[in-house]
Each structure stands twice: as structure tokens, then as C-alpha cells.
Amino acid sequence: MAQFPSDFDWGFATASYQIEGSASLGGRGPSIWDTFCKLPGKIRDGSSGEVATDSVRLYKEDVALLKSYNVKAYRFSISWSRMIPLGGRDDPVNPEGIAFYRSLLEELLRNGITPYVTLYHWDLPQGLHDRYGGWLDKEEIVKDYVNYAKLCFDSFGHLVKNWITHNEPWVISCLGYQKGVFAPGHESNTEPWIVAHNAILAHAYAVKLYREQYKPVQGGQIGITLDCHWQIPYDDSPENIEAAKKGIDFKLGRFADPIYKGYYPERVKKIIDDRLPEFTEEELAVVKGSSDFFGLNTYTSQLVQEGGTDETNGYITVGHTRPDGTQLGTVGAKNICVVNPPGFRSLLNYLWKTYQKPIYVTENGFAVKDEHKMTISEALRDKDRIEYFEGYANAMLQAVTEDGVPVKGYFGWSLLDNFEWADGYEARFGVTYVDYATQKRYPKESAQFLSKWFPEHTSA
Ligand code: FCB
């Protein structure tokens, strides 16, 4: 039977604001998501991450669940405003926050689970947003982000060997500053390019610091996680073939090309023109080559047609209905939930060919349609999610064993049902059902499936 090599890591991913709760407890300062959730109409069910899955209090239960699922690794993110409540380099740190993450890390390690730690999964301290506009101010945000990263390396670097600087900067910039559907809710056609540029710089300077001062002693690796859905031309017309390439450049190349190759993609430059900031030579030297691996979040594939009004994707139109009326795959709760394993295999091949870096799939998962309306026992029989994971895991195994793509790890999204941003609690991505009234956790059938599948497909 085909198998991953013995050092292949697999597990589940989560993010601070989506699971921690205790948002106003333990000395944590507010983040832009706490503020955004209070704006009327922004969150589908009017909820917030104030309590979420209460994981600050229940972290030992979460680790026990991970252990029961036979995982080798766990990816979680640190809340910046739990570490430094106001966020800035001259602001006080929060000892309770540091103690919490240290306990979590020690609990993971005691259970033989390797931590993968994300520094920034969208929860910017509100203090920095108020003080200077957060991601919009290059000088300030780069310094404050690097200071925050340094605090994390100092506090946890002896326990963590796998660091991820940002989660999905496309979402930070486009959904937060262009479409306004995520925090901080701005709608602009210049800001997203400034924010994205500054996020790349903050990432790069944190990596520089880690490589110079921590890696030689701590011996870990550090990189960034980008998101992309595989882009399939709607038909074989030359304009739709070109549109699919443009879709990849607008979603992924705009970050991956500077970081791995040292320049912005031509297709992006052509459309964004002088709204695209430039790197100084000194900055470029820091940005180029600033990721030890390729962190990939991917959920589905999209059929792409040229034309449309959406600049976030370069004026293309995406969907999942083929010209003959059939769907790309089983459809779930959101437009990013459509089961299409062949697209995943193509994307992995594309990334390896284009960027030549080992790949970690840092998120991949599926929300079953209407699961939030089901009874608990109905929700636990999540056959569409099993179809998804079985298809994606096998596609990845083929990419590794047949195509020679070096995928080194895989994290299902998510360990738990949790606060799904603008969808509130109305989309459930967990392999564990969370009854929010009691905070009781119930493993779904997909959790049982993956706990067997990965050990069986990984050599001893
Ligand atoms: C990704 C996010 C993650 C989760 C999934 C469903 O874009 O990184 O936090 O919300 O989507």
C-alpha cells in the first residue's frame, strides 16, 4: 500500500479567536474581531468569539481529544492581544497570556504532539488599529509585529520548532480592507494593496529575526501560510485559460511571487498599476526567500471565466457548475465547500513546480450543508465530510508517492466546530461536534475515519 514517509506530520488546525473564548478574561486586550462582531449585521447570527469553544479553559480536554485521534501534530494560533493587550512594542506584556500558551504547549508535548504555531490569524490588537490604523502604517506595524514575534520566540521557542507568521494574508487584505466583510470592515480599492504589502514586510522581518537570532540555537523552521483554490478554466477558450492563471496570481502569486521569487506577478501589476506599493532594494533582499516552506490552506476548486466586477480576484467570475450543468463535486455549507480532490492534486503539483519548496497543508476541510440545523446524532454521521477527507487525503498521497511532490504535513480544519467568522456558529467545520450550550465535545464519524486513515497510510 502507498504510504507517506515516517516523518509525515498530520493533525488538526484551529485559530485563537475561533476557539479560545475568555475574550475579556485573563488579561487579554480586545482585537479588531471583538470590535467587528459588535457591528450590526456583520456576523450572520449576531454572535462573537467571546466564549467560542471555551478552549482557554478547556485546553486539556482539547489535547486529550487530539490524543484520542492519534494525531502527530496540532496547529493553533496565538492571540497577539492576549500576549500584549495593547499590542505595541512599548506596551506591557500579559504574564497570564504567556503562562496559558506555555501550559498548552507543555500539555501537547507531554502527549507527544508536535506544535505548529501561527503568530497571526487575523486578530490584530484593537489598540494598534486605534493608535495608527494597524496594518496601514508600514513603519509602525512592522516594528510592532516583529516585537510581538520576538516575545513569542523568547517565551516559547524552546518548545516550538514550527512557526507560521501569517494565516492567509489574502483574507486579511481583501476581506478586511476591500470587501469589508471581515474585520476591520473597510471598503477601499487602495488599502488592500498597502495592507498586503505591509503584511509581507512584517512577515519577512520576523523571519529575518528568527533566522538570525533564534534558529541557530532553537533549530526550528519558519514560513507563511497562503490560501488558494485550484483554478480550472470554465472551458477551453483562450480567455478562460488565461483567466484561470490570473485567478491564481491574484489569490496566491501576489504573495507567493514576492516571497519566493522577489517580485509581484505581471498580471497583478498590469491591473493594479501604481496602487501596488514597491519594495525598496533593502526590503526586497529581506522579502525574497523569506519562507522555509510553503504553507497552503485550500478548500476547493473553482471554474473560472474571464470578466466580472471583483478586483480581489482580478475581474474573473468563479463558480462550481460545469458548462453541462453538473457540479465539480458534492456541495456543502459555503461556496468554499465543494468536494474536488483532483484539483487539490493539481494545485500541489503546481506549487511544487512553481516554488520548489516543501509543502505543509496547514488547513483543509469541509462544512456539511445545514449541519447547524441537525440534531447531534445526525451531525455525527458526517458522510459528506468523510467523502471530502477520503478524497483529499488520497489525492495528496498520490501527489507524494506518484508525482514526487514533497508534502510534509497535513492539518484538517478543524479539530472542533467553532466561531466561523462572518458565519458565526452557522457553519460547522469540526471533526468534533461542539454543543455550545454545554461545551460538550462529541467526535464525529470523520474524526474516527481520519484517526485510522493517517496511521494506516504512514510508514512506521
Ligand atoms: C480559512 C480560515 C480558517 C477557517 C476556514 C474555514 O480561510 O483560515 O480560520 O475559517 O477558512
Side-chain angles (χ1 to χ4, degrees):
M1 178 172 49
Q3 286 185 316
F4 296 108
S6 59
D7 63 353
F8 186 88
D9 270 342
W10 86 277
F12 295 100
T14 61
S16 46
Y17 192 67
Q18 295 181 276
I19 67 160
E20 284 187 354
S22 300
S24 328
L25 302 175
R28 178 183 177 277
S31 79
I32 55 174
W33 269 93
D34 296 273
T35 311
F36 186 71
C37 289
K38 295 195 182 108
L39 299 177
K42 291 295 187 186
I43 311 298
R44 183 142 60 115
D45 56 4
S47 66
S48 75
E50 185 71 31
V51 178
T53 64
D54 208 10
S55 287
V56 163
R57 281 198 275 230
L58 300 179
Y59 76 93
K60 286 195 178 164
E61 257 188 56
D62 292 349
V63 176
L65 260 182
L66 285 163
K67 178 82 181 160
S68 76
Y69 294 164
N70 300 319
V71 306
K72 293 170 75 176
Y74 176 50
R75 171 179 180 239
F76 68 93
S77 81
I78 295 178
S79 155
W80 186 342
S81 63
R82 198 179 286 289
M83 295 291 288
I84 310 172
L86 288 169
R89 54 201 183 279
D90 297 321
D91 295 321
V93 305
N94 175 27
E96 257 192 86
I98 300 178
F100 165 67
Y101 293 112
R102 195 165 286 156
S103 307
L104 169 60
L105 286 164
E106 285 167 356
E107 185 72 7
L108 287 166
L109 294 170
R110 242 195 312 277
N111 283 280
I113 299 169
T114 305
Y116 282 68
V117 179
T118 308
L119 292 171
Y120 187 73
H121 199 124
W122 311 347
D123 40 1
L124 183 77
Q126 182 67 35
L128 303 184
H129 187 78
D130 294 343
R131 200 175 287 163
Y132 52 75
W135 288 110
L136 288 164
D137 186 323
K138 178 167 103 173
E139 299 302 325
E140 293 294 329
I141 197 67
V142 171
K143 285 190 189 126
D144 282 340
Y145 180 86
V146 172
N147 171 72
Y148 158 62
K150 182 172 191 312
L151 177 64
C152 294
F153 302 150
D154 280 332
S155 310
F156 316 125
H158 57 303
L159 306 174
V160 178
K161 303 300 160 211
N162 304 282
W163 292 100
I164 294 159
T165 53
H166 293 314
N167 181 72
E168 303 188 356
W170 183 90
V171 170
I172 300 170
S173 49
C174 289
L175 301 190
Y177 293 82
Q178 193 154 6
K179 295 196 173 188
V181 295
F182 277 17
H186 290 198
E187 288 175 57
S188 159
N189 73 349
T190 49
E191 288 183 5
W193 300 99
I194 298 167
V195 165
H197 192 79
N198 296 346
I200 293 174
L201 285 167
H203 144 85
Y205 279 94
V207 170
K208 179 174 166 13
L209 172 77
Y210 184 75
R211 285 180 178 165
E212 287 174 1
Q213 293 183 28
Y214 295 88
K215 192 173 178 141
V217 195
Q218 298 176 347
Q221 55 176 348
I222 186 163
I224 192 166
T225 279
L226 306 177
D227 59 307
C228 193
H229 312 300
W230 183 240
Q231 305 282 284
I232 306 170
Y234 181 74
D235 53 27
D236 57 12
S237 71
E239 61 270 33
N240 289 340
I241 292 173
E242 170 58 21
K245 293 182 185 156
K246 192 168 53 158
I248 294 212
D249 280 352
F250 267 75
K251 183 87 173 152
L252 185 95
R254 60 186 277 185
F255 299 101
D257 285 9
I259 289 169
Y260 296 99
K261 296 175 164 180
Y263 47 80
Y264 279 119
E266 282 308 320
R267 289 188 186 89
V268 173
K269 281 200 227 160
K270 210 169 123 196
I271 293 179
I272 305 307
D273 200 20
D274 59 1
R275 284 179 292 142
L276 195 62
E278 277 177 32
F279 296 109
T280 65
E281 253 175 58
E282 189 198 318
E283 289 168 351
L284 205 53
V286 178
V287 167
K288 187 179 175 184
S290 61
S291 191
D292 294 334
F293 52 81
F294 201 108
L296 170 70
N297 288 358
T298 190
Y299 285 84
T300 190
S301 308
Q302 294 174 329
L303 292 162
V304 182
Q305 286 173 277
E306 175 55 30
T309 53
D310 186 357
E311 193 178 80
T312 61
N313 63 22
Y315 302 106
I316 58 173
T317 300
V318 299
H320 43 78
T321 308
R322 298 191 186 92
D324 67 3
T326 60
Q327 301 298 301
L328 273 183
T330 303
V331 177
K334 301 178 63 155
N335 60 2
I336 61 162
C337 302
V338 181
V339 187
N340 188 252
F344 182 38
R345 183 170 174 180
S346 301
L347 177 58
L348 293 171
N349 273 275
Y350 171 84
L351 295 179
W352 172 235
K353 194 175 108 224
T354 312
Y355 301 109
Q356 294 280 306
K357 281 282 171 192
I359 299 167
Y360 287 86
V361 178
T362 42
E363 280 179 31
N364 181 238
F366 186 83
V368 176
K369 196 165 171 27
D370 290 336
E371 203 177 276
H372 70 291
K373 296 183 187 156
M374 296 179 189
T375 63
I376 299 180
S377 61
E378 281 166 354
L380 300 186
R381 297 193 299 269
D382 55 341
K383 72 172 188 15
D384 287 358
R385 186 176 286 105
I386 294 176
E387 181 202 339
Y388 181 94
F389 279 129
E390 184 167 26
Y392 278 67
N394 277 299
M396 176 171 64
L397 184 60
Q398 288 170 331
V400 171
T401 57
E402 294 173 29
D403 311 337
V405 179
V407 185
K408 301 288 187 193
Y410 176 89
F411 296 86
W413 184 270
S414 177
L415 172 63
L416 305 162
D417 291 336
N418 57 46
F419 176 71
E420 178 49 27
W421 310 111
D423 288 317
Y425 296 97
E426 295 196 350
R428 290 178 173 263
F429 273 92
V431 295
T432 311
Y433 185 92
V434 177
D435 178 1
Y436 294 109
T438 60
Q439 291 296 348
K440 211 169 154 350
R441 280 97 159 112
Y442 301 84
K444 300 180 191 173
E445 288 181 4
S446 58
Q448 318 300 351
F449 170 79
L450 288 171
S451 344
K452 288 207 194 86
W453 193 93
F454 273 101
E456 275 170 16
H457 292 85
T458 309
S459 61

